[in-house]
C-alpha cells in the first residue's frame, strides 16, 4: 500500500504493510535498528544518512539519531532530514523542532520489515502544516535586541514559547486569570520537558524582564565549548 501524503504526517509516515524498497522517482528515507543501533538510509541515493552535516547547524546529539519520542536524538534526526531533503539551512533551522514534535516523535519500527518509511511528500505535507505557526520576534514581528540572537519566539493560540535554537531550552509564557506564569524548561533526552525555573508576576505587568531573566539563566546553565 502506497503512503497517502495528503493525510496528517503522524499517520502518513507509517505504513505497516510496506516493505523496505525504493522508488527511483521519489525521495524516500527508511529507519531501522541494526544490532540495536539506529540507522537511517536514503533509499533513492542508496546511502546512509549521517548526522555530520546537521551537527554543524545544531548540536543536540553528537552520538547520533533517535526517533519515537521528543528529545535530543530525534531533534538531530529532524534537522538532518530537513537539511538533506531541502538542502536549505534556514528551512531546517526554523522547522526542525516542530518536525521532531509532529513527525519524528511518531516514527516506529514496526510492520513486516520492522522499519519506518518517510517520503519527500510526507516531509512537504508536514512543512505545509507548519506554516500556520510562523516564527515571530518577541515584540510582534519587528526585529528586537531584547533577546540573544539564538532565541526566537513562536506564537501559539494560548501561550508564547521562546525557543533556544542551539539547545532544547524553552521559556513558556502563559497568562492565567490574574498572573503571568513563565517556565524555563529543558527537553534533553526526556519524553517530557523538565522545569528548570519559573517566575510569576501580576498579569498587568510587562513580562519582558522576566523572560530576559530566564533566558539569561538558560545561557548560564550551558557550558561553553572548549577551544581545541
Amino acid at each position: 500500500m502506497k503512503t497517502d501524503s495528503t493525510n496528517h504526517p503522524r499517520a502518513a509516515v507509517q505504513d505497516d504493510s510496506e516493505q523496505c524498497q525504493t522508488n527511483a522517482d521519489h525521495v524516500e528515507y527508511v529507519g531501522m535498528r541494526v544490532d540495536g543501533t539506529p540507522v537511517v538510509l536514503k533509499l533513492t541515493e542508496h546511502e546512509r544518512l549521517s548526522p555530520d552535516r546537521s551537527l554543524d547547524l545544531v548540536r543536540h546529539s553528537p552520538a547520533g539519531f533517535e526517533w519515537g519520542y521528543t528529545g535530543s536524538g530525534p531533534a538531530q534526526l529532524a534537522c538532518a532530514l530537513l537539511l538533506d531533503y531541502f538542502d536549505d539551512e534556514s528551512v531546517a533551522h526554523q522547522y526542525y523542532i516542530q518536525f521532531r514534535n509532529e513527525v519524528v516523535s511518531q516514527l516506529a519500527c514496526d510492520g513486516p520489515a520492522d522499519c519506518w518509511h518517510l517520503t519527500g511528500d510526507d516531509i512537504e505535507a508536514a512543512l505545509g502544516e507548519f506554516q500556520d505557526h510562523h516564527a515571530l520576534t518577541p515584540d510582534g514581528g519587528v526585529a528586537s535586541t531584547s533577546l540573544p540572537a539564538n532565541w526566537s519566539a513562536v506564537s501559539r493560540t494560548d501561550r508564547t514559547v521562546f525557543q533556544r535554537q542551539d539547545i532544547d531550552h524553552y521559556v513558556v509564557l502563559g497568562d492565567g486569570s490574574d498572573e503571568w506564569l513563565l517556565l524555563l524548561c529543558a527537553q534533553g533526552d526526556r519524553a517530557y520537558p523538565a522545569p528548570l525555573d519559573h517566575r510569576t508576576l501580576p498579569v498587568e505587568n510587562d513580562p519582558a524582564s522576566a523572560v530576559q531573566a530566564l533566558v539569561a539563566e538558560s545561557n548560564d546553565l550551558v557550558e561553553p565549548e572548549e577551544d581545541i
Side-chain angles (χ1 to χ4, degrees):
M1 182 175 70
K2 184 176 177 59
T3 299
D4 182 0
S5 62
T6 62
N7 292 336
H8 189 281
R10 282 179 286 189
V13 296
Q14 295 297 325
D15 186 349
D16 289 343
S17 65
E18 188 174 22
Q19 299 294 322
C20 289
Q21 58 186 9
T22 185
N23 181 340
D25 298 323
H26 176 109
V27 175
E28 187 172 7
Y29 301 91
V30 62
M32 65 196 75
R33 296 188 185 276
V34 179
D35 296 329
T37 300
V39 173
V40 179
L41 304 176
K42 186 176 182 181
L43 295 186
T44 39
E45 301 294 335
H46 304 287
E47 64 185 19
R48 183 169 176 170
L49 185 66
S50 166
D52 292 348
R53 186 182 176 197
S54 65
L55 285 168
D56 290 335
L57 187 61
V58 294
R59 199 168 184 84
H60 289 286
S61 179
F65 299 139
E66 261 298 351
W67 54 77
Y69 64 99
T70 56
S72 57
Q76 201 69 54
L77 175 58
C79 183
L81 286 167
L82 294 182
L83 189 58
D84 184 80
Y85 182 74
F86 291 104
D87 195 24
D88 187 322
E89 290 187 357
S90 64
V91 170
H93 207 280
Q94 181 175 358
Y95 292 110
Y96 79 95
I97 290 294
Q98 288 173 280
F99 191 72
R100 177 198 66 179
N101 294 347
E102 295 297 318
V103 178
V104 175
S105 67
Q106 306 300 314
L107 297 173
C109 292
D110 54 14
D114 197 25
C115 63
W116 55 258
H117 281 258
L118 189 65
T119 68
D121 289 342
D122 297 329
I123 294 172
E124 292 187 9
L127 264 289
E129 293 192 2
F130 298 160
Q131 302 306 314
D132 292 336
H133 300 290
H134 56 283
L136 301 174
T137 53
D139 56 5
V142 179
S144 172
T145 59
S146 61
L147 294 179
N150 61 330
W151 287 81
S152 61
V154 181
S155 178
R156 296 288 186 257
T157 57
D158 60 343
R159 68 195 64 190
T160 297
V161 179
F162 296 87
Q163 173 185 311
R164 182 167 176 157
Q165 297 172 352
D166 55 342
I167 197 168
D168 276 345
H169 281 189
Y170 307 86
V171 175
V172 182
L173 171 62
D175 55 333
S177 58
D178 55 3
E179 65 181 7
W180 293 104
L181 173 63
L182 300 92
L183 292 172
L184 173 62
C185 301
Q187 188 74 54
D189 289 318
R190 299 168 181 265
Y192 300 96
L196 299 175
D197 198 0
H198 73 280
R199 301 281 192 280
T200 58
L201 65 159
V203 72
E204 64 268 18
N205 288 24
D206 185 348
S209 61
V211 171
Q212 291 170 8
L214 291 175
V215 165
E217 182 172 340
S218 166
N219 294 337
D220 291 340
L221 291 172
V222 178
E223 295 182 3
E225 293 185 5
E226 296 182 0
D227 295 332
I228 300 175

